[in-house]
Amino acid sequence: MLDLDIVEVDGRAVDFRENPFETMFFENTNPTSVTTRRIKVKNLSPLTVSFHWSIYKNKNATKISLSDENTHFKIEPSQGKITGGQIIEFEV
């Protein structure tokens, strides 16, 4: 069974009592500004999981096309593998 968990956001452990879910969202910014969040995800399962991040303009599209990706955001690493028990940090 696959089991991934967000364990840290911007250096703060995810504990929904002490750090509410709102800590996961970005603050409002100006159109030309840049803001970054760091999210650590842990693979709690023994399985190696391949991942690829894509951000689409229309989340309810019936057909997904790479040409529809929204380029105002990026996530690094954008693809790879996370082994069992590994924690990987994503920069959004």
Side-chain angles (χ1 to χ4, degrees), residues 16-28:
F16 291 112
R17 280 183 233 155
E18 293 184 26
N19 302 319
F21 190 71
E22 288 78 26
T23 61
M24 304 285 291
F25 296 99
F26 285 87
E27 298 292 327
N28 291 332

Side-chain angles (χ1 to χ4, degrees), residues 16-71:
F16 291 112
R17 280 183 233 155
E18 293 184 26
N19 302 319
F21 190 71
E22 288 78 26
T23 61
M24 304 285 291
F25 296 99
F26 285 87
E27 298 292 327
N28 291 332
T29 61
N30 294 322
T32 59
S33 66
V34 175
T35 186
T36 301
R37 304 294 304 264
R38 295 183 184 277
I39 300 170
K40 286 188 179 178
V41 175
K42 182 174 185 176
N43 182 356
L44 298 170
S45 72
L47 305 171
T48 296
V49 178
S50 296
F51 65 86
H52 172 85
W53 290 96
S54 292
I55 302 170
Y56 297 97
K57 295 175 188 175
N58 182 359
K59 68 179 180 179
N60 297 319
T62 56
K63 182 179 178 185
I64 294 175
S65 167
L66 292 179
S67 64
D68 290 337
E69 284 190 90
N70 189 336
T71 58

Side-chain angles (χ1 to χ4, degrees), residues 60-92:
N60 297 319
T62 56
K63 182 179 178 185
I64 294 175
S65 167
L66 292 179
S67 64
D68 290 337
E69 284 190 90
N70 189 336
T71 58
H72 299 292
F73 302 93
K74 75 175 181 177
I75 302 174
E76 300 226 347
S78 63
Q79 61 184 3
K81 293 183 180 184
I82 181 169
T83 59
Q86 181 183 12
I87 295 175
I88 190 168
E89 182 176 81
F90 294 97
E91 185 176 292
V92 181

